[in-house]
Amino acid sequence: MTARERMSKRVAQGQKSRARLLEAATERFASCGYAGTSVDDVCRSAGIVKSALYWHFESKEGLLAAVLEETADAWIDGI
């Protein structure tokens, strides 16, 4: 496997992890609210380690911002 192929695989894996975290966070925030959802809850639901959440979003607040942005984009696309 070449360096380029390894990098492509890592990028794809990172995108998949990010998407799983966003999906889990959206579900948890909708069912338990922001205050009732912990970073551990989201990571457990997504099957992703906590360090990956912080890598992609830096904080729980950053995760919420990404969830809201994704939700707004989907809503606008639907109009």
Side-chain angles (χ1 to χ4, degrees), residues 55-69:
W55 170 261
H56 289 290
F57 305 105
E58 295 185 4
S59 65
K60 183 180 171 186
E61 293 83 10
L63 177 60
L64 175 63
V67 166
L68 293 173
E69 183 177 339

Side-chain angles (χ1 to χ4, degrees):
M1 184 179 286
T2 67
R4 176 174 274 176
E5 290 170 333
R6 284 191 301 275
M7 181 62 98
S8 293
K9 185 176 179 181
R10 248 189 310 207
V11 168
Q13 184 178 16
Q15 291 171 338
K16 187 176 179 180
S17 295
R18 186 179 192 281
R20 286 171 54 192
L21 286 164
L22 283 169
E23 181 180 339
T26 300
E27 291 172 7
R28 296 293 303 195
F29 292 156
S31 64
C32 302
Y34 178 77
T37 299
S38 70
V39 168
D40 287 329
D41 293 333
V42 173
C43 292
R44 195 174 345 351
S45 294
I48 304 288
V49 295
K50 210 184 316 188
S51 60
L53 184 142
Y54 291 116
W55 170 261
H56 289 290
F57 305 105
E58 295 185 4
S59 65
K60 183 180 171 186
E61 293 83 10
L63 177 60
L64 175 63
V67 166
L68 293 173
E69 183 177 339
E70 184 177 80
T71 302
D73 288 347
W75 182 76
I76 289 168
D77 288 345
I79 294 179

